[in-house]
Amino acid sequence: MRKEDTVKLISAEGFEFVVDKKAAMVSQTIRNMLTSPGSFAETEHGEVTFPEITTTILEKICQYFYWSLQYASILYDSGKESEFHIEPELTLELMMAANYLHT
Amino acid sequence: MTILRSRQVLPRPENKPKPAPESPSKALKSGFSFTAIEEPITPAKILDPPSTRSSYESTPTSSSFAQSSVEPDPLRSGFTGFGSESGWVPSSSAVRRSVRLASKRGVHEIERVTRVSSRKRKIDVVSVEKNEGVDSGRVSGKVKVLGGGKENGVEEIGVGVDKLGSVVGTACENGLCLDFGAGEKVVSGKKKANVAFSGQIGNKIKVSGEGERVLHDGSLVGSECENGVCLDLGGSEKSTSMKKAKGKRNIDVVGVLGGDSVKESERGKGCFNLRSGKKVAKPKWEGFGWSDSLKAEGTSILGRVEKGESVDKDSIMSGDRVVDQPKLELGMKKEKSIGSAVPDDSQFAVSSDQNELKNVKSYDGIRDGVIRRLSREEKGKGKLVEVDLLSDCMDEVKLIPEPKRETSIESTVFGDSATPTLENVKVQAMETEAKTHTERTRDRFRNIAKKSASKFAHFSAREEEENHVVDEAEREMPQREVEEEMEDWPGPFSTAMKIIRDRGTNANMQQENSSLHKANSSPVVWVPRKDRQDGRSKLLVPSLQELCIAILSKNVDAITSLDSVPDLLRHRLGQLLCDTRRMNDHFFDLLLSGSPTEIRVRDCSWLTEERFTKSFEACDVNNLMVLQLDQCGRCLPDYVLHATLARSSNCLPALTTISLKGACRLSDVGLGSLLSSAPALRSINLSQCSLLTSDGINRLADSLGSVLRELYLDDCQSIDAMLIFHALSKMENLEVLSLVGLQTVCDDFVSQFLALCGDNIKELVLAECSKLTDSSLKVIAKSCSGLRAIDLSNLAKLTDLTLGYLANGCQAIQMLKMCRNAFSDEAIAAFLETSGEPLTELSLNNVNKVGHNTAISLARCSRNLLSLDLSWCRNLTNEAVGLIADSCSSLKVLKLFGCTQITNLFLDGHSNPQVQVIGLKMTPILEHIKAPDLLGPLQYSSGSSLI
């Protein structure tokens, strides 16, 4: 996996999640950060820091990115809707993070 | 009347019937195609006038008409001709004049006329037929012509006129002949057999045009002719016509008509009886349509047979000198003629024509009686007739010698049956009669008519009502025409409309040219994409937010706090909870905890008074800007209001927006106290507050007056729009006014209000204000140049003019809602072409006429469209919708409820990955129900600018 194809997402606690750029772009917010014109740090280094998102939530979000990429093909191939499992205790926080990430 | 003549003529008919048979052939040679004149074509005409017919059908007489319509008779064509009035007058009148002149001068001129007509006939057989209809339409020959012409078109009209002219000419000839003598008749009959035939044709035409009556008329005319000089001709005509197919039809029609006439006939009883089976009066009625006033006249002339009958009736009615027996005989004679022509008439077909001769005398007597009666009634009816016929008729009347007029009037009077068409026929007959009788008998009749006029004075409430309706319709019509004229000024809309229409006609022509090759060819070209990958990419992945909210809504009770949750997410969560009936006290308390700025609950029906009072008392409302408590009828009576929202004046200092939809226990007093506690209100939604009256709105205007920006009064059934007019006119800065379903909203209200406050209006919701017409929209377009949104749902009276006004006057419309409107495909397309660019939301729900023109224009001009509702637009094909979806690059939501004609071809084939198709295949719809704008307290003004 080449570095250009990946993005590093950093949580509030400093945990780094290296994900496919394609997956990260599921989030409109991240997409805008990575594609906006001009030499922002995010664009140049492929790193995005989320000081307000905890590690657990960010991990869940990364899971969602990949899930959403596979959703269509799974549905198409198997005819079944795959379910994205969310622990109820995370939901409220996850919802706000998702709102921020526009996803 | 005609009967009398028939007697006179009778002797001749025997001789001349021979020429008559020839005449058809001659006519053919001359270029008139009798066949063309005949019914065969008329069916097509019948098809054409559905619109006009439908309007007629609403009238009581329509039933008869419908029956007659079943038969492929010329009658219908006549009706159709009548339906359309416009355009025909000038040419027709000219023709008439010429005809008249010709008749006066002699056969030669008449021949010219006929020639002209023949040319025209060559040009367009169909038109000729129409013309026939027109002829019938021209009530007394003349008028009828005019009526028929307009529908077909200018050319047709012209032809129609000619025919009419010819017909008239024939009639005139007959009349003249009668007057002048047999010599002319003979000449015309033989040498100028063409003419005669044309005349006959005309008669026939008249008959056909008039419908059943036409037949009668024709017979009448024929009889008249017969009676006069042209009896022979008439007979021949009859025979020819009968042969051609009218005979049976006529008979049938007569039968039908008779039934109808009997039903319809309000006045004459005995007369009706006689008429029954014979009369055709009603058809004319229908045909006239526009000239409903004719109804008032109500006198219908029977067919030939009817003539006989009418004569009887007349005799009966008048009780004058006419002997019943003679009359009967006359009737029989008429019948005879008919019978000879048509076997079906056999009922009456009795004695030979010779008998008729004998009867002639009696007929004369009858005629006199009839005429007299007519003359008496003339006065009243004459007026009516004039009114009915409008200017055209007037002209004709003027042209016609006075005696004729009288006769016509008289004839109508006789008819009593109340069919305008009959009157027309009568008029024709009368004219001829008048010619024959001349002034000699006129005075006599007049005197008699004066004596018996009172007997004919009827008052029919139903007629009155109908007339009233007609009057209204007529009143509207001219207005509309005027507007249309104004619209004809080449504004962008009318230009676009014209282009689209031309496009349509061109397409049609092309299609005809290449007719069979591409019968199914659609004007919309769209190729579905086949590749499967696209189908995959079109699947919308549920967003993480949706997933979270769904899970939260299932675990509401586990939520301990909504602190730091943005308002938008609160709203979405609350909305889902309400929609799924999971809203409860716990979540309500969560919403009220802290110092909320917005509380939005769109369904409070679960909330009790106690719970609401308790929750609200604990709430810090100092920062509350938006309060939405819809469906709060249960929890918000006045006394709870006083304990919560209105506990003290100015207790809601920041509140700018309040929505209390469905607060069915909120009174004017409660509203007043609420207003005193929330002085900063800028938007108030009081929809479905059924206790509110104009008093409450007056308070609202007094306290908020010029600062109020948004007012929703949907379905407040206790509010009379005209009573809140003054209150509303104080709200100078009103931007949003929603008056859905207020039946008291009328054109006057809209025009007066907008004239005062239209400048600032951004959104008008006038759905279901069913009284509104185009004139309201004209005012709106004129006064509200800044209009951004308008809802015209269920405004059935609106026509294409509305779209023209909006397109030319309101260039900034972003949201346009239509539902069940009668707008045409072309008009919608033209609107989109003209001012469809800014549209972001468009609803064409159940606008039946939406078709490919709209689709093409949508594809071309709606780049900004976000939401499109094409539900129940069943004329749209896969291709059309596919083109729209692919071309509207911004489109997010496409509603296609009820569009079962849309198949997977579209769903799999469109290539717009963003669009979400709703309404097909059980897609979830809950979240697409229009929710109040959640973005801010006011839709068109920022909250900060208000304070």
Side-chain angles (χ1 to χ4, degrees):
Chain A
M1 190 185 286
R2 293 186 302 163
K3 191 168 183 289
E4 299 83 56
D5 293 337
T6 61
V7 179
K8 190 183 287 181
L9 306 179
I10 304 172
S11 73
E13 292 90 353
F15 281 83
E16 299 182 351
F17 296 89
V18 178
V19 298
D20 281 318
K21 206 169 184 177
K22 187 181 166 194
M25 302 264 259
V26 168
S27 158
Q28 286 294 324
T29 307
I30 296 177
R31 175 192 292 267
N32 291 339
M33 287 176 171
L34 296 179
T35 58
S36 60
S39 55
F40 292 98
E42 292 88 354
T43 316
E44 286 187 358
H45 307 296
E47 285 183 11
V48 185
T49 307
F50 298 102
E52 293 179 350
I53 299 179
T54 62
T55 308
T56 6
I57 298 301
L58 192 57
E59 182 183 9
K60 201 74 194 170
I61 286 173
C62 291
Q63 288 175 17
Y64 173 80
F65 289 160
Y66 283 98
W67 175 83
S68 78
L69 286 183
Q70 294 174 354
Y71 175 82
S73 57
I74 292 174
L75 179 60
Y76 204 82
D77 296 339
S78 66
K80 288 187 290 187
E81 278 199 46
S82 57
E83 189 181 342
F84 183 67
H85 180 70
I86 300 173
E87 294 79 3
E89 62 271 20
L90 296 179
T91 314
L92 199 60
E93 213 177 331
L94 188 60
M95 180 178 72
M96 287 189 280
N99 184 45
Y100 171 70
L101 290 175
H102 215 275
T103 182
Chain B
M1 311 286 292
T2 55
I3 294 167
L4 294 172
R5 294 175 184 172
S6 66
R7 290 179 183 174
Q8 295 174 354
V9 179
L10 289 175
R12 290 177 184 174
E14 296 177 356
N15 299 335
K16 293 182 180 179
K18 297 174 183 177
E22 294 177 0
S23 60
S25 62
K26 292 178 181 178
L28 293 173
K29 293 173 184 175
S30 66
F32 300 94
S33 54
F34 270 121
T35 57
I37 297 169
E38 291 174 354
E39 303 74 11
I41 303 171
T42 55
K45 294 177 178 180
I46 296 169
L47 294 176
D48 293 342
S51 61
T52 55
R53 200 191 297 170
S54 62
S55 63
Y56 301 138
E57 288 177 359
S58 63
T59 65
T61 54
S62 63
S63 62
S64 66
F65 181 73
Q67 292 178 350
S68 65
S69 67
V70 177
E71 305 167 358
D73 289 351
L75 300 178
R76 296 174 186 172
S77 65
F79 296 126
T80 60
F82 269 120
S84 62
E85 303 171 359
S86 64
W88 45 274
V89 175
S91 62
S92 65
S93 64
V95 174
R96 294 173 185 173
R97 293 173 186 170
S98 65
V99 173
R100 295 173 183 172
L101 294 173
S103 65
K104 293 177 180 177
R105 292 174 186 172
V107 178
H108 298 285
E109 293 184 2
I110 294 169
E111 289 178 357
R112 296 176 195 167
V113 175
T114 56
R115 291 171 192 169
V116 176
S117 64
S118 65
R119 293 176 200 161
K120 292 180 178 178
R121 290 177 184 173
K122 291 175 181 177
I123 296 170
D124 187 354
V125 176
V126 176
S127 68
V128 173
E129 293 177 357
K130 294 175 180 179
N131 293 331
E132 294 177 0
V134 173
D135 292 348
S136 64
R138 60 161 184 181
V139 183
S140 16
K142 303 165 184 179
V143 177
K144 294 174 182 177
V145 175
L146 296 175
K150 67 174 180 181
E151 283 185 356
N152 296 334
V154 177
E155 295 177 1
E156 293 175 357
I157 294 167
V159 176
V161 173
D162 293 342
K163 291 181 178 181
L164 296 172
S166 64
V167 174
V168 174
T170 58
C172 295
E173 291 176 359
N174 295 336
L176 293 174
C177 292
L178 292 174
D179 297 339
F180 292 95
E184 293 178 358
K185 298 172 183 175
V186 175
V187 175
S188 64
K190 295 179 180 179
K191 287 182 181 179
K192 302 174 180 178
N194 297 336
V195 176
F197 275 97
S198 65
Q200 295 174 356
I201 295 167
N203 294 338
K204 293 175 182 179
I205 295 167
K206 294 173 181 178
V207 174
S208 63
E210 293 171 352
E212 300 165 0
R213 299 170 185 173
V214 172
L215 294 175
H216 294 297
D217 296 343
S219 66
L220 293 172
V221 174
S223 66
E224 293 175 356
C225 295
E226 292 175 359
N227 295 335
V229 179
C230 302
L231 293 175
D232 307 79
L233 298 174
S236 63
E237 293 176 359
K238 294 175 182 176
S239 62
T240 56
S241 65
M242 296 299 286
K243 292 174 182 177
K244 290 177 181 176
K246 290 181 178 179
K248 294 178 180 178
R249 294 176 185 175
N250 294 338
I251 294 168
D252 297 340
V253 173
V254 173
V256 175
L257 293 173
D260 298 343
S261 65
V262 173
K263 297 174 183 177
E264 294 175 355
S265 65
E266 299 170 353
R267 302 175 181 174
K269 298 174 183 177
C271 295
F272 293 115
N273 296 336
L274 295 173
R275 292 173 184 174
S276 65
K278 293 179 180 179
K279 295 176 182 176
V280 186
K282 292 180 180 179
K284 290 181 176 179
W285 227 69
E286 296 169 356
F288 277 101
W290 53 274
S291 61
D292 293 345
S293 59
L294 293 176
K295 298 175 183 178
E297 297 175 358
T299 60
S300 63
I301 300 170
L302 302 177
R304 306 170 183 175
V305 178
E306 290 178 356
K307 291 178 179 178
E309 294 175 354
S310 67
V311 173
D312 296 341
K313 297 173 182 178
D314 296 340
S315 64
I316 296 168
M317 302 274 299
S318 62
D320 297 344
R321 305 97 198 198
V322 178
V323 180
D324 295 348
Q325 295 175 352
K327 293 176 181 177
L328 294 173
E329 291 177 358
L330 294 173
M332 294 301 289
K333 293 175 182 178
K334 294 176 181 176
E335 292 173 358
K336 294 171 185 176
S337 63
I338 297 169
S340 62
V342 183
D344 295 345
D345 293 337
S346 60
Q347 292 180 348
F348 295 92
V350 182
S351 61
S352 63
D353 297 349
Q354 296 174 354
N355 295 335
E356 294 177 359
L357 295 173
K358 297 175 182 177
N359 295 330
V360 172
K361 296 177 181 178
S362 63
Y363 281 106
D364 294 344
I366 294 167
R367 285 183 183 176
D368 296 348
V370 175
I371 294 169
R372 296 167 190 170
R373 297 171 187 171
L374 293 173
S375 62
R376 296 171 188 171
E377 294 178 356
E378 285 178 5
K379 302 170 184 174
K381 290 184 177 179
K383 296 175 183 176
L384 294 174
V385 173
E386 290 177 357
V387 176
D388 297 345
L389 296 176
L390 301 174
S391 61
D392 299 334
C393 295
M394 296 292 289
D395 295 344
E396 293 177 357
V397 174
K398 293 175 181 175
L399 294 173
I400 300 168
E402 292 180 0
K404 291 179 182 178
R405 192 196 284 180
E406 292 175 355
T407 54
S408 63
I409 297 166
E410 292 172 358
S411 63
T412 58
V413 174
F414 289 106
D416 287 351
S417 58
T419 311
T421 53
L422 293 175
E423 292 177 356
N424 296 334
V425 176
K426 294 175 181 179
V427 173
Q428 292 177 351
M430 294 305 291
E431 291 176 359
T432 56
E433 289 179 0
K435 294 172 184 176
T436 57
H437 278 282
T438 67
E439 290 111 323
R440 172 173 57 100
T441 55
R442 199 205 304 169
D443 294 338
R444 218 175 73 199
F445 294 148
R446 216 175 248 168
N447 294 333
I448 298 171
K450 283 178 182 172
K451 293 174 186 171
S452 58
S454 61
K455 296 176 187 174
F456 295 92
H458 291 272
F459 174 78
S460 164
R462 196 193 70 177
E463 281 184 0
E464 197 72 4
E465 216 169 306
E466 285 168 353
N467 285 334
H468 185 62
V469 173
V470 174
D471 288 345
E472 275 187 355
E474 284 178 352
R475 218 189 314 142
E476 285 182 7
M477 280 304 292
Q479 208 177 1
R480 234 175 237 181
E481 285 173 6
V482 172
E483 287 170 357
E484 218 147 3
E485 284 171 14
M486 293 180 61
E487 182 57 24
D488 281 342
W489 183 80
F493 176 79
S494 52
T495 309
M497 190 94 168
K498 188 174 182 302
I499 292 171
I500 289 164
R501 281 194 175 135
D502 291 347
R503 191 167 68 192
T505 52
N506 289 341
N508 283 342
M509 288 179 62
Q510 285 178 357
Q511 223 164 9
E512 285 177 12
N513 293 339
S514 58
S515 57
L516 300 178
H517 296 294
K518 43 176 182 178
N520 285 333
S521 73
S522 163
V524 179
V525 180
W526 174 72
V527 181
R529 289 176 60 163
K530 292 291 170 89
D531 99 42
R532 301 189 83 197
Q533 207 60 34
D534 269 355
R536 228 178 261 198
S537 72
K538 264 182 286 187
L539 288 171
L540 286 177
V541 184
S543 77
L544 189 55
Q545 292 179 71
E546 289 172 22
L547 295 172
C548 293
I549 289 173
I551 291 171
L552 282 178
S553 75
K554 290 173 186 164
N555 301 282
V556 193
D557 294 334
I559 301 174
T560 54
S561 168
L562 288 176
D563 290 347
S564 77
V565 175
D567 282 337
L568 184 64
L569 291 177
R570 291 183 184 213
H571 302 331
R572 290 179 61 177
L573 185 52
Q575 195 170 308
L576 183 58
L577 288 172
C578 285
D579 290 345
T580 54
R581 301 295 295 173
R582 289 202 193 95
M583 195 70 174
N584 58 19
D585 298 341
H586 174 67
F587 190 78
F588 190 65
D589 284 340
L590 289 178
L591 285 178
L592 267 59
S593 63
S595 180
T597 57
E598 296 191 10
I599 299 173
R600 293 190 195 250
V601 182
R602 74 170 176 184
D603 183 0
C604 293
S605 58
W606 53 271
L607 189 59
T608 63
E609 294 173 18
E610 297 76 25
R611 187 69 214 184
F612 177 66
T613 309
K614 191 177 163 192
S615 297
F616 217 84
E617 277 171 349
C619 178
D620 173 11
V621 293
N622 283 322
N623 295 322
L624 191 62
M625 294 178 65
V626 177
L627 177 60
Q628 179 187 2
L629 296 172
D630 291 349
Q631 319 306 333
C632 57
R634 180 184 178 191
C635 65
L636 205 62
D638 280 359
Y639 53 88
V640 172
L641 194 70
H642 290 133
T644 54
L645 300 178
R647 56 196 163 204
S648 66
S649 69
N650 205 14
C651 66
L652 297 168
L655 193 67
T656 58
T657 300
I658 191 168
S659 173
L660 299 175
K661 283 169 77 171
C664 55
R665 298 162 80 185
L666 177 69
S667 70
D668 293 336
V669 177
L671 177 62
S673 54
L674 177 64
L675 292 172
S676 66
S677 67
L681 271 183
R682 297 294 178 271
S683 169
I684 187 162
N685 189 334
L686 299 170
S687 301
Q688 289 101 36
C689 293
S690 48
L691 287 184
L692 290 184
T693 69
S694 51
D695 286 348
I697 308 305
N698 286 329
R699 292 179 195 213
L700 183 65
D702 290 340
S703 56
L704 296 175
S706 60
V707 298
L708 196 66
R709 305 296 176 105
E710 301 178 359
L711 178 60
Y712 300 83
L713 296 173
D714 304 350
D715 297 315
C716 290
Q717 299 301 344
S718 303
I719 293 180
D720 185 328
M722 293 315 283
L723 293 179
I724 63 169
F725 170 74
H726 288 292
L728 290 184
S729 55
K730 290 179 190 169
M731 305 176 187
E732 300 159 0
N733 291 313
L734 209 57
E735 293 173 340
V736 179
L737 179 61
S738 178
L739 299 172
V740 176
L742 287 196
Q743 297 305 315
T744 48
V745 172
C746 58
D747 287 342
D748 285 345
F749 171 82
V750 171
S751 55
Q752 290 178 31
F753 171 69
L754 290 179
L756 292 172
C757 309
D759 290 345
N760 295 313
I761 290 286
K762 301 282 194 301
E763 177 171 350
L764 272 177
V765 184
L766 299 171
E768 294 168 46
C769 298
S770 52
K771 287 181 184 171
L772 295 185
T773 68
D774 289 329
S775 63
S776 284
L777 271 295
K778 190 179 182 183
V779 176
I780 289 171
K782 201 170 131 193
S783 315
C784 310
S785 52
L787 197 66
R788 308 270 186 80
I790 187 164
D791 187 341
L792 303 174
S793 298
N794 295 312
L795 298 185
K797 289 184 179 176
L798 299 188
T799 71
D800 290 349
L801 291 178
T802 286
L803 292 176
Y805 298 142
L806 289 180
N808 293 335
C810 304
Q811 301 280 350
I813 293 182
Q814 295 174 344
M815 192 211 80
L816 176 59
K817 284 197 173 181
M818 296 178 255
C819 180
R820 296 175 193 272
N821 298 108
F823 302 135
S824 70
D825 187 27
E826 293 84 2
I828 296 169
F831 175 85
L832 293 171
E833 300 269 352
T834 323
S835 58
E837 201 71 36
L839 277 180
T840 57
E841 184 177 350
L842 176 64
S843 167
L844 295 170
N845 196 315
N846 220 332
V847 180
N848 293 327
K849 293 176 189 166
V850 165
H852 62 267
N853 285 324
T854 301
I856 292 170
S857 296
L858 270 174
R860 283 176 44 175
C861 306
S862 301
R863 306 272 174 231
N864 298 316
L865 205 58
L866 298 174
S867 169
L868 178 61
D869 185 352
L870 294 174
S871 302
W872 305 102
C873 294
R874 314 258 318 167
N875 291 332
L876 290 175
T877 60
N878 277 320
E879 289 74 22
V881 180
L883 184 68
I884 293 169
D886 288 359
S887 304
C888 297
S889 47
S890 308
L891 196 61
K892 297 281 193 301
V893 176
L894 177 59
K895 295 187 183 178
L896 291 174
F897 290 97
C899 292
T900 50
Q901 79 278 12
I902 305 295
T903 65
N904 283 339
L905 186 67
F906 162 73
L907 285 176
D908 296 339
H910 78 79
S911 56
N912 187 338
Q914 294 180 318
V915 74
Q916 192 176 2
V917 179
I918 301 167
L920 294 178
K921 289 188 173 183
M922 301 299 292
T923 46
I925 60 173
L926 210 49
E927 55 264 42
H928 302 291
I929 294 173
K930 166 90 173 174
D933 199 337
L934 300 177
L935 297 178
L938 294 177
Q939 296 192 46
Y940 299 99
S941 303
S942 66
S944 60
S945 71
L946 298 173
I947 305 168

